[in-house]
Amino acid sequence: MLNGQPHLIVATPRESETQRWAQHFRDAYPDWRVDLFQPGQAATGAQYAVVWQPDPLLFSQEPSVRAVFNLGAGVDAMAASIPSDMPLYRLEDAGMAEQMAEYALYGVLQATGRFRPYEEQAREGRWKAHRPVDRKQWPVAVLGLGVIGRKVADVIASLGYPVHGWSRTLHQADFPTYAGQAGLHDCLAASRILVNALPLTAQTRGLINEDTLSRLQPGAYLINLARGAHIVDQDVLDALDSGQLSGALLDVFTQEPLPADHPYWGHPGVMVTPHISGITLREQALEQIGSRIALLHQGQPAEGRVDVRLGY
Ligand code: GLV
């Protein structure tokens, strides 16, 4: 139990974003002290840091910070800079999982092409029914069965698509699940659509590459809603060229914004979106982070703690 009200510091790469979140916390928790991080300023004495991709200086400049709260699900941007014993909490779901399941479903519909003839026919004023898509022909691999991957997998499975889920450790689910290297190969071989919902760690970096893509059923479709560095971009472009991939819906990139001259832009098989598959929702994030800070401040444990060693 700490004396007084919680004292927060907010740190993000953009000053306007830092100010915005600081104001949200002040509005939601008027008794708390909320400061803004500026590199080079004197230590504020904050006990909790609320961050998105924070400047690594944060951790040396604010030595009284005793817990860090990420304003998103993925904590990879801090992996190299956060002290290994610093309690780190990430957003769990907080309204993101539903958005991401919807995003994945949009990709599945792009893959099957169910609505493509109707888009054309609507423009042409033509009334003609086509046979329904045979969902069994579109088995979906979901990589990563955390809160987000699990929601994606459950939503897609609920619509009758065969779903195969892969994760680092074996999970129980109503669909077949796999773990480990051999499990990954089996999961991919059983699938034609690949949805990536993994955390970015040393083990998962570059996991979507020539070898893994070649294990999917031919004419596969890739949906990446996790991190750009999971993908070897050239291998995806080559697989699109060879027809091993029929298309890709990509939300995340090694460099964001995606550079103007990147071959993904304008590629006929690729749809690019600007990292919007799961947007942090203000109300849910404030509620989740605020209630966790309140618990810690009373000396109680809080959920959502990241295993910094594992990276998620
Ligand atoms: C967004 O990419 C997040 O990690 O929340």
Side-chain angles (χ1 to χ4, degrees):
M1 177 91 157
L2 291 171
N3 288 331
Q5 296 289 340
H7 179 182
L8 275 55
I9 188 157
V10 181
T12 82
R14 291 213 318 270
E15 201 177 322
S16 57
E17 200 185 350
T18 303
Q19 272 168 2
R20 196 163 52 82
W21 278 107
Q23 196 53 50
H24 293 330
F25 274 94
R26 285 184 190 125
D27 293 344
Y29 302 96
D31 297 337
W32 296 7
R33 178 169 161 193
V34 182
D35 282 315
L36 279 62
F37 174 78
Q38 300 267 2
Q41 77 191 359
T44 64
Q47 302 146 323
Y48 307 100
V50 175
V51 307
W52 177 248
Q53 299 178 344
D55 188 320
L57 270 180
L58 169 71
F59 302 107
S60 51
Q61 201 173 295
E62 293 289 338
S64 15
V65 165
R66 59 189 64 225
V68 176
F69 291 82
N70 192 39
L71 281 163
V75 295
D76 44 286
M78 265 173 290
S81 56
I82 191 161
S84 58
D85 55 350
M86 175 67 79
L88 169 62
Y89 296 81
R90 64 188 171 119
L91 284 186
E92 290 176 307
D93 192 341
M96 276 187 279
E98 264 179 9
Q99 296 175 61
M100 294 170 98
E102 181 181 62
Y103 183 96
L105 188 57
Y106 178 78
V108 169
L109 293 171
Q110 290 294 313
T112 67
R114 168 158 188 216
F115 291 101
R116 215 165 290 139
Y118 300 113
E119 284 169 10
E120 214 174 296
Q121 288 177 206
R123 278 194 296 273
E124 293 166 357
R126 206 147 50 90
W127 181 279
K128 180 176 185 308
H130 298 267
R131 291 168 63 80
V133 165
D134 180 3
R135 296 188 184 86
K136 299 282 174 279
Q137 301 299 317
W138 291 96
V140 182
V142 178
L143 305 188
L145 294 176
V147 178
I148 292 164
R150 187 56 189 257
K151 182 76 174 183
V152 167
D154 284 341
V155 166
I156 294 173
S158 77
L159 296 173
Y161 293 89
V163 167
H164 301 269
W166 181 79
S167 48
R168 190 181 62 84
T169 55
L170 200 59
H171 286 229
Q172 288 296 320
D174 293 336
F175 46 82
T177 53
Y178 310 76
Q181 183 77 1
L184 176 62
H185 295 170
D186 291 344
C187 177
L188 296 172
S191 305
R192 192 163 168 204
I193 297 175
L194 172 57
V195 183
N196 178 33
L198 286 165
L200 182 64
T201 66
Q203 285 71 38
T204 63
R205 187 175 289 274
L207 188 104
I208 299 171
N209 55 36
E210 185 188 358
D211 175 63
T212 42
L213 290 170
S214 72
R215 293 176 187 276
L216 290 161
Q217 295 175 6
Y221 192 92
L222 170 65
I223 301 166
N224 191 15
L225 41 79
R227 287 290 181 263
H230 284 125
I231 283 185
V232 179
D233 289 325
Q234 192 54 53
D235 292 359
V236 167
L237 291 163
D238 291 347
L240 286 162
D241 279 353
S242 74
Q244 170 58 12
L245 276 182
S246 60
L249 172 62
L250 306 176
D251 189 47
V252 283
F253 305 91
T254 316
Q255 192 185 336
E256 295 180 1
L258 185 65
D261 59 353
H262 198 284
Y264 284 148
W265 285 120
H267 191 296
V270 179
M271 178 163 171
V272 168
T273 54
H275 201 143
I276 47 72
S277 65
I279 289 175
T280 299
L281 300 177
R282 187 181 65 196
E283 295 302 324
Q284 281 92 329
L286 283 171
E287 214 291 305
Q288 197 174 100
I289 294 176
S291 59
R292 287 172 176 176
I293 288 177
L295 280 172
L296 292 188
H297 209 63
Q298 290 160 20
Q300 291 178 39
E303 287 180 15
R305 184 156 175 189
V306 171
D307 184 329
V308 176
R309 211 169 28 90
L310 290 177
Y312 63 95

